[in-house]
Amino acid sequence: MNIYEYPSRGQYKALLARPTLSFAEIEMRVRPIIDEVAQKGDEALRKFALDFDNILLNDFKVTDAELRDAENQISVELKNAIDQAYENISVFHKAQQVEEAQVETMPGVFCWRKSVGIQKVGIYIPGGSAPLFSTVLMLAIPAQIAGCQQIVLCSPSNHPAIYYAAQKCGITEAYRIGGAQAVAAMAVGTETVPAVYKIFGPGNQYVTAAKQIVSQMGVAIDMPAGPSEVAVLADHRANAAFIASDLLSQAEHGADSQVLLVGTDKDIILKTIEEVKLQLAFLPRKELAAKALENSKAILVKDLDEATYLLNEYAAEHLILSIENPEEVAANIVNAGSIFLGDYTPESCGDYASGTNHTLPTNGYARAYSGVSLDSFVKKITYQKISKAGLEKLGPIVEIMAEAEQLDAHKNAVTIRLKNIKDQA
Amino acid sequence: MNIYEYPSRGQYKALLARPTLSFAEIEMRVRPIIDEVAQKGDEALRKFALDFDNILLNDFKVTDAELRDAENQISVELKNAIDQAYENISVFHKAQQVEEAQVETMPGVFCWRKSVGIQKVGIYIPGGSAPLFSTVLMLAIPAQIAGCQQIVLCSPSNHPAIYYAAQKCGITEAYRIGGAQAVAAMAVGTETVPAVYKIFGPGNQYVTAAKQIVSQMGVAIDMPAGPSEVAVLADHRANAAFIASDLLSQAEHGADSQVLLVGTDKDIILKTIEEVKLQLAFLPRKELAAKALENSKAILVKDLDEATYLLNEYAAEHLILSIENPEEVAANIVNAGSIFLGDYTPESCGDYASGTNHTLPTNGYARAYSGVSLDSFVKKITYQKISKAGLEKLGPIVEIMAEAEQLDAHKNAVTIRLKNIKDQA
């Protein structure tokens, strides 16, 4: 980690800059994949599975038996842990259901909104060594609560923990396909894979590029993606070992992980860097983590106000406040994905089981984007109903405004009705 | 209008297809504009204003005096109409503020969310003959309620109704620039125009392409855009003159407007088509509207259930239910932007002043997207705080899950804290 002592505000922009993400080149390779899936359907999926992953795809729809039997193929303790995480995530996301009241904006003018689950959603879960069953929970639980009718899972992994989570969350169908072609399949539909209206989930740069491309084709996506990141704010009394473990949690995700330590006490920063070295030695993923740490920064600032300013400039995906009164700083943070308050709230609790969602805006997107929540799986339709008396009040206002915008047919839609009401009287 | 009688469900897809939107060619022309604004700032804005619009841009920041004096340059009746629309839109959007309770997902594990206004937002309002001051209201009112700190307006129009609406809605600064270069300026910032985090507003295909491009550069946008559209559902007792006026309200927006009439009674469909012809003759924009109507469709279906199925397939931006019991059908519509119930609720009321927002998902996006609302101007940050007792309950669950995902540092962030708690005891 590189230490920066009391940088000026003018230096923050350069100091906090993330690596530039360019998908231009990858997009050029992914676009033909999407086109081919659109044209040839399952045949293209089989071809790409063979070409890219050396897999002979026959039936790639996961059977009901596979989903059902998954429960018996994981340990009881993992099953129980998933069950408890399911409970906590459900409780937190159910609390996001709100019924909005009908509003009578003027006498006789009634307006309201209703949340309606997106009918068809797709969830992508990458393969690789570690099966990300936690992401199945994070995406399928809110989909289930939202009342999405069709929840489709695509994953190259057939790990039973993924299937156990899938069946628990009401996933209606699962397909053993991966990569950009899986995203394409959910976007355009094939003989086997249904087309969905919104696609969620993490993935490598090909998956990310595929999501970006299909989002320009009319399919919604959860949010733009970038490397995962954490910022930790530590004061003089923070526990260096705790902080080091949090920085390493982020670093182990990959060499491109963004790790930022902001401190008001030089001593704690130095101790934390020592602790990072100690703990790193014991990690199986130490090489990846070490790489991420090479580019990471520790910034010493003069006080918590300055730290708040800096952290709002950075807009971290995860922000851990290892300080004495975390609520005070949290109240002034306006740009962050998820905030962890106090010494005993490690990010990994939010990643797995506290109840909050772990799909969060990276790359500074927290300035404008929220993390995934129940909101991500619903549309809010607006409604209005106007009584004759209401139109008599509201109509003349609309007539004046429509005329001023030179939209005469808009005006006429009111005039013709007002005349009808008058004729009836 | 072309009439289709009792088409089969297999024909719906083709029947309801929208024109394919391709921005590829326009994007190629817009990308260099964005690049040049990013590199040369104000100088580029001046150059493009001269090249594209033959305008010599000197100071293009609208002065406080211009904003303040606008009130005296519009008629009292227009001022009063805008004031009432402001009231109604404010009431409806304020009702969208919700305070979510803190949730204790497990004993000692506290999770919550807070809505925070996006600090910097930009609103684009196109020029042209008709000044779209209503769109200023629709975008700036929720921005104001959300507590956005900087609300930037860019418009080539200097119509006083736009400036009156702007000052009323707390717009902090306005710039007299338009086109793709205005979007670029708000995305990247220039010496004069501040960079914002999210850009809203309608525009021609260059503006739309610019929004699409900057959305890939990390700036959020309100939603992808397509031509405006209405679907009207009419039963045997519907008023043909009312429906015709609604279809024409949509058609007058432009030649590419999408107009769809769905009816359960052939007689009403025929009468409506006659009424459209009658009313069209009196419209100043009759040529535009006539063009839109050439491509429009009237579909006769056997009953309201079939109509509901068809309308859910179509996912209209605006859906008018001119039927006897509109609530019954509305309850079964899952895909629509905004729904207008009954004979005396013309779309134009929602376009201007009933209180609902008029920025809505077109082009079938209503399947996955909501219209603009207060939600569009906030991020929801998640928070969590875990007590020592809470971590003792939650921690072991996280340890098991992190281990199963082979993320050892994630596990260790819990283990190290649990050990610390034990050591203290």
Side-chain angles (χ1 to χ4, degrees):
Chain A
M1 288 189 96
N2 306 300
I3 306 182
Y4 301 83
E5 295 188 28
Y6 308 115
S8 71
R9 287 192 175 184
Q11 295 172 279
Y12 285 179
K13 201 176 170 183
L15 208 51
L16 302 175
R18 279 123 170 141
T20 312
L21 302 175
S22 172
F23 289 103
E25 200 194 316
I26 295 164
E27 264 191 38
M28 275 172 48
R29 294 165 68 180
V30 169
R31 217 172 271 276
I33 296 174
I34 295 172
D35 290 344
E36 197 162 336
V37 173
Q39 283 157 28
K40 300 191 183 161
D42 287 349
E43 186 194 325
L45 295 179
R46 292 205 170 86
K47 180 190 142 191
F48 291 128
L50 195 62
D51 287 0
F52 298 154
D53 304 315
N54 214 15
I55 287 172
L56 251 181
L57 270 191
N58 291 312
D59 281 352
F60 52 91
K61 182 165 187 190
V62 181
T63 64
D64 289 349
E66 283 176 285
L67 291 173
R68 222 174 24 237
D69 294 347
E71 180 171 7
N72 304 317
Q73 290 173 43
I74 57 174
S75 69
V76 172
E77 66 174 0
L78 180 56
K79 180 187 170 300
N80 290 343
I82 291 176
D83 288 351
Q84 184 64 55
Y86 178 90
E87 274 309 304
N88 294 355
I89 298 165
S90 296
V91 166
F92 186 62
H93 287 77
K94 273 185 190 159
Q96 293 165 11
Q97 289 175 307
V98 281
E99 187 109 359
E100 285 175 27
Q102 202 180 66
V103 181
E104 190 172 2
T105 56
M106 284 178 96
V109 179
F110 301 92
C111 303
W112 66 102
R113 293 203 299 174
K114 193 174 79 176
S115 284
V116 178
I118 298 171
Q119 287 177 287
K120 305 173 187 191
V121 297
I123 296 173
Y124 183 76
I125 302 292
S129 55
L132 295 181
F133 56 85
S134 63
T135 305
V136 178
L137 297 175
M138 293 294 174
L139 298 176
I141 290 173
Q144 191 179 29
I145 295 170
C148 299
Q149 287 164 32
Q150 197 169 17
I151 310 173
V152 176
L153 174 79
C154 284
S155 180
S157 167
N158 64 349
H159 195 284
I162 289 186
Y163 291 163
Y164 177 66
Q167 64 79 22
K168 196 165 170 78
C169 299
I171 281 176
T172 52
E173 52 215 286
Y175 301 92
R176 203 172 298 120
I177 50 175
Q181 62 271 28
V183 173
M186 290 192 282
V188 299
T190 71
E191 302 90 314
T192 305
V193 184
V196 300
Y197 301 150
K198 190 168 185 178
I199 297 173
F200 296 78
N204 63 18
Q205 48 190 354
Y206 295 95
V207 168
T208 300
K211 282 174 65 187
Q212 274 196 352
I213 294 169
V214 301
S215 79
Q216 305 281 328
M217 292 163 54
V219 180
I221 62 168
D222 44 3
M223 70 183 84
S228 190
E229 47 190 45
V230 74
V232 177
L233 173 60
D235 62 10
H236 62 283
R237 41 139 302 284
N239 183 315
F242 291 4
I243 301 168
S245 73
D246 294 329
L247 298 175
L248 286 166
S249 293
Q250 195 56 50
E252 77 173 339
H253 275 302
D256 59 353
S257 281
Q258 301 292 301
V259 173
L260 181 69
L261 172 62
V262 180
T264 53
D265 186 285
K266 189 168 176 184
D267 211 43
I268 290 290
I269 288 178
L270 295 173
K271 270 190 200 154
T272 302
I273 291 172
E274 278 310 302
E275 268 289 339
V276 164
K277 283 181 199 150
L278 285 173
Q279 294 180 26
L280 183 64
F282 296 95
L283 289 179
R285 290 171 172 247
K286 60 178 163 246
E287 276 159 42
L288 274 183
K291 262 228 164 92
L293 289 167
E294 270 174 31
N295 302 315
S296 69
K297 288 161 186 159
I299 304 178
L300 179 65
V301 294
K302 67 175 192 294
D303 55 27
L304 291 177
D305 282 349
E306 194 56 30
T308 303
Y309 179 90
L310 184 147
L311 290 165
N312 278 329
E313 288 292 300
Y314 184 61
E317 180 192 11
H318 304 98
L319 173 60
I320 300 177
L321 301 178
S322 280
I323 53 174
E324 195 160 9
N325 294 306
E327 286 81 0
E328 284 175 19
V329 168
N332 294 317
I333 295 291
V334 291
N335 293 326
S338 196
I339 303 181
F340 300 77
L341 289 83
D343 297 325
Y344 294 91
T345 314
E347 187 209 305
S348 46
C349 284
D351 288 340
Y352 286 108
S354 64
T356 61
N357 208 290
H358 79 195
T359 306
L360 294 164
T362 55
N363 200 34
Y365 293 127
R367 297 184 192 106
Y369 290 86
S370 312
V372 162
S373 72
L374 187 64
D375 308 339
S376 313
F377 293 88
V378 301
K379 309 89 50 94
K380 293 186 183 174
I381 301 176
T382 52
Y383 302 80
Q384 58 205 285
K385 187 170 190 185
I386 304 174
S387 70
K388 288 180 193 171
L391 193 65
E392 286 181 305
K393 282 210 171 296
L394 179 64
I397 293 157
V398 173
E399 289 179 304
I400 292 163
M401 293 175 76
E403 193 178 329
E405 287 194 357
Q406 298 171 28
L407 292 172
D408 290 71
H410 283 65
K411 178 185 177 187
N412 195 44
V414 172
T415 309
I416 209 165
R417 285 170 168 92
L418 289 179
K419 186 173 175 306
N420 168 284
I421 295 171
K422 214 169 165 190
D423 289 348
Q424 284 173 35
Chain B
M1 293 189 93
N2 306 300
I3 306 181
Y4 301 83
E5 295 187 30
Y6 308 114
S8 70
R9 289 191 175 185
Q11 295 172 278
Y12 286 178
K13 200 175 171 185
L15 209 50
L16 301 175
R18 278 118 170 147
T20 311
L21 303 174
S22 172
F23 289 102
E25 201 195 316
I26 294 164
E27 263 191 39
M28 276 173 48
R29 296 165 67 181
V30 169
R31 217 173 270 276
I33 297 175
I34 295 173
D35 290 344
E36 197 161 336
V37 173
Q39 282 158 27
K40 301 192 181 161
D42 287 350
E43 187 194 326
L45 295 179
R46 292 204 171 86
K47 181 191 140 191
F48 291 127
L50 197 62
D51 287 0
F52 298 153
D53 305 314
N54 215 14
I55 288 172
L56 252 180
L57 271 192
N58 291 309
D59 283 352
F60 51 90
K61 181 166 187 187
V62 180
T63 65
D64 289 350
E66 283 176 286
L67 290 173
R68 220 170 30 236
D69 295 347
E71 180 170 8
N72 305 316
Q73 289 174 43
I74 56 174
S75 69
V76 173
E77 66 173 359
L78 180 56
K79 180 185 169 300
N80 291 342
I82 291 176
D83 288 351
Q84 184 63 55
Y86 177 90
E87 276 308 305
N88 294 354
I89 298 165
S90 296
V91 166
F92 186 62
H93 287 76
K94 273 185 189 157
Q96 293 164 12
Q97 289 175 305
V98 280
E99 188 108 1
E100 283 174 29
Q102 203 180 65
V103 181
E104 191 172 2
T105 55
M106 283 178 96
V109 179
F110 301 92
C111 303
W112 67 101
R113 294 201 301 174
K114 193 174 78 174
S115 284
V116 178
I118 298 172
Q119 287 177 287
K120 305 173 186 190
V121 297
I123 295 173
Y124 182 77
I125 302 291
S129 54
L132 296 181
F133 55 84
S134 63
T135 304
V136 177
L137 298 174
M138 293 295 173
L139 298 176
I141 290 172
Q144 192 179 28
I145 295 169
C148 299
Q149 286 164 33
Q150 198 170 16
I151 309 174
V152 176
L153 174 78
C154 283
S155 180
S157 168
N158 63 350
H159 194 284
I162 288 185
Y163 290 163
Y164 177 64
Q167 64 79 25
K168 196 166 173 78
C169 300
I171 282 178
T172 53
E173 52 213 285
Y175 301 93
R176 202 174 299 119
I177 50 173
Q181 62 270 27
V183 173
M186 291 192 281
V188 299
T190 71
E191 302 90 313
T192 305
V193 183
V196 300
Y197 301 150
K198 190 169 184 177
I199 297 174
F200 296 79
N204 62 21
Q205 49 192 353
Y206 295 95
V207 168
T208 300
K211 283 174 64 189
Q212 274 197 350
I213 293 168
V214 302
S215 79
Q216 305 281 328
M217 293 164 53
V219 180
I221 62 169
D222 44 4
M223 70 184 83
S228 189
E229 49 191 42
V230 73
V232 177
L233 173 60
D235 62 10
H236 63 282
R237 42 139 298 286
N239 183 314
F242 292 2
I243 301 168
S245 73
D246 295 329
L247 298 175
L248 286 166
S249 295
Q250 196 55 52
E252 75 173 341
H253 275 301
D256 59 355
S257 282
Q258 301 291 303
V259 173
L260 181 68
L261 171 62
V262 180
T264 52
D265 185 286
K266 188 168 177 183
D267 210 43
I268 290 289
I269 289 179
L270 295 173
K271 271 188 196 155
T272 303
I273 291 172
E274 278 311 300
E275 267 291 337
V276 165
K277 283 182 197 151
L278 286 173
Q279 295 180 24
L280 183 65
F282 295 96
L283 290 180
R285 291 171 171 245
K286 62 178 161 243
E287 275 158 44
L288 273 185
K291 260 224 167 94
L293 288 168
E294 269 173 31
N295 302 314
S296 70
K297 288 162 186 160
I299 303 178
L300 178 65
V301 295
K302 69 173 192 293
D303 55 28
L304 292 177
D305 282 349
E306 194 57 29
T308 303
Y309 179 90
L310 184 147
L311 290 164
N312 279 329
E313 288 292 299
Y314 184 61
E317 179 192 11
H318 304 98
L319 172 59
I320 301 177
L321 302 177
S322 280
I323 52 174
E324 195 160 9
N325 295 305
E327 286 81 0
E328 284 176 20
V329 167
N332 294 318
I333 295 292
V334 290
N335 294 326
S338 195
I339 303 181
F340 300 76
L341 290 84
D343 297 325
Y344 294 91
T345 315
E347 188 209 305
S348 46
C349 284
D351 287 341
Y352 285 107
S354 63
T356 60
N357 208 290
H358 78 196
T359 306
L360 294 164
T362 56
N363 201 34
Y365 293 127
R367 298 184 191 105
Y369 290 87
S370 311
V372 162
S373 71
L374 187 64
D375 308 339
S376 313
F377 293 89
V378 301
K379 308 88 50 91
K380 293 186 183 174
I381 302 177
T382 52
Y383 302 80
Q384 59 205 285
K385 188 171 189 184
I386 304 173
S387 70
K388 288 181 195 173
L391 193 65
E392 287 181 304
K393 281 211 171 295
L394 179 64
I397 294 157
V398 173
E399 289 180 302
I400 291 164
M401 292 175 77
E403 193 180 328
E405 287 194 358
Q406 298 171 26
L407 292 171
D408 290 70
H410 282 67
K411 179 186 177 186
N412 194 43
V414 172
T415 308
I416 209 165
R417 285 169 166 94
L418 289 179
K419 185 173 176 307
N420 168 286
I421 295 171
K422 218 171 165 187
D423 289 348
Q424 286 173 33

